[in-house]
């Protein structure tokens, strides 16, 4: 039987009555079978009465009482457990005695001795039945409490992750734009160059200001980054070259906003430290199976961390965002070679919500 556990109050109420019908219905079936087997007069009537008695007591006496117990503190303390057992024993007695009274009213005299024997044996069984009902009641509510606590913890973690993602993202764009404005400032004495730089930078700013969510199609970011690369090309002319290569399906892949931007920023910043000219930057992206690969390569040599002034924001933020969104399913690696350095991102093609739900 599917219980349909839910934190929704309406569904929980519905679940309670479904379980009541199922449990007490099974009790009626067993009791009716026994009285029929013993050929007791009015046996089905008496079984139906006992079942109705149990339904009323459990729903309108035990349930409200147990609710107050749960609200007032821990239930499973020795005094309270003893009280619950005593109450269930009392209900077993009341159940049995009231059934015998009903049998007297129905004048079931011919089988009263048999009835008394049957119900005296069933008294402890009925008491045990109320104990079992109580265990089920507290047990199911314990499951609800655990489910609610897990949901609360998940919502808290999701809120923290969303807040951290927003904070990390808010740090990236200003940092990148600062570098772009420096490029513009460096060419301030050349009006024609400034105009080209301004137009290209405007395209990139439009991309930055239009971002609302955490995900964007990779093609949108690559188009914006090409605008930024044009800024650098106008500024450095023959001293700078760039290549953009995209494989099939790449432009439509949903990725975290500003995924490639920190890699490109790093490539230009550290590539300029090398004596190799022109500075060459390649952005290559392709899909390999279920994995999206984005690689940014710059000419130059490896610069050891700490040997050059840096805030360290870009790649550190990107690693943290990938971890929050994908867990261990995504990676960012740096691979230095003889005359180049490659930053490589690998992440699932599927959106983060389908890979590592928050």
């Amino acid at each position: 039987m599917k219980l349909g556990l839910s934190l929704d109050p309406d569904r929980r109420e519905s679940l309670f009555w479904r379980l009541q019908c199922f449990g007490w219905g099974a009790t009626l079936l067993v009791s009716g079978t026994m009285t029929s087997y013993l050929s007791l007069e009015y046996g089905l009537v008496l079984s139906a009465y006992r079942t109705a008695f149990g339904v009323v007591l459990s729903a309108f006496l035990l349930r409200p009482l147990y609710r107050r117990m749960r609200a007032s503190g821990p239930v499973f303390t020795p005094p309270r457990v003893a009280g619950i057992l005593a109450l269930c024993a009392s209900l077993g007695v009341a159940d049995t005695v009231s059934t015998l009274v009903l049998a007297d009213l129905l004048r079931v005299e011919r089988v009263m001795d048999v009835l008394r024997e049957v119900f005296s044996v069933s008294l402890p069984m009925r008491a045990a039945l109320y104990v079992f009902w109580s265990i089920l009641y507290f047990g199911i509510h314990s499951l609800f409490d655990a489910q609610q606590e897990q949901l609360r913890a998940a919502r808290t973690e999701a809120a923290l992750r969303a807040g951290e993602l927003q904070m990390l993202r808010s740090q990236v764009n200003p940092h990148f734009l600062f570098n772009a404005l420096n490029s513009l400032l460096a060419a301030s004495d050349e009006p024609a160059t400034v105009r080209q730089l301004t137009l290209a930078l405007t395209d990139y700013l439009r991309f930055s200001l239009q971002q609302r969510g955490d995900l964007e199609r990779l093609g949108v970011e690559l188009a914006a980054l090409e605008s930024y690369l044009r800024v650098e090309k106008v500024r450095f002319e023959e001293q700078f070259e760039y290549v953009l290569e995209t494989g099939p399906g790449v432009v439509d892949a949903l990725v975290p906003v500003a995924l490639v931007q920190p890699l490109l920023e790093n490539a230009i910043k550290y590539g300029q430290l090398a004596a190799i000219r022109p500075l060459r930057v390649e952005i290559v992206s392709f899909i390999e199976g279920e994995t999206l690969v984005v690689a940014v390569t710059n000419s130059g040599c490896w610069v050891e961390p700490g040997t050059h002034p840096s805030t360290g924001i870009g790649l550190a933020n990107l690693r943290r965002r990938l971890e929050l969104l994908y867990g261990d399913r995504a990676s960012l690696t740096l691979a230095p070679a003889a005359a180049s350095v490659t930053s490589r991102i690998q992440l699932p093609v599927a959106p983060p919500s389908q890979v590592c739900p928050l």
Side-chain angles (χ1 to χ4, degrees), residues 329-346:
R329 298 287 302 278
S331 64
L332 167 58
T333 57
L334 301 177
S340 66
V341 178
T342 299
S343 304
R344 183 183 179 94
I345 293 176
Q346 292 181 271

Side-chain angles (χ1 to χ4, degrees), residues 164-237:
E164 185 173 359
L165 281 170
Q166 185 61 35
M167 179 195 70
L168 293 173
R169 180 182 160 189
S170 69
Q171 292 174 340
V172 172
N173 281 340
H175 194 250
F176 192 66
L177 290 174
F178 174 78
N179 291 334
L181 290 173
N182 272 343
S183 297
L184 186 61
L185 186 61
S188 59
D189 56 346
E190 302 174 25
T193 302
V194 168
R195 184 176 184 280
Q196 295 181 56
L197 289 173
T198 302
L199 290 174
L201 187 55
T202 299
D203 290 338
Y204 177 76
L205 284 172
R206 185 179 297 110
F207 160 76
S208 297
L209 295 174
Q210 287 176 347
Q211 303 312 300
R212 292 293 182 268
D214 293 319
L215 301 177
E216 180 59 272
R217 291 190 305 112
L218 182 55
V220 174
E221 182 182 359
L222 292 177
L225 292 183
E226 187 170 11
S227 296
Y228 178 76
L229 287 168
R230 289 203 304 270
V231 171
E232 296 299 279
K233 180 63 177 175
V234 169
R235 178 184 173 187
F236 294 107
E237 299 179 341

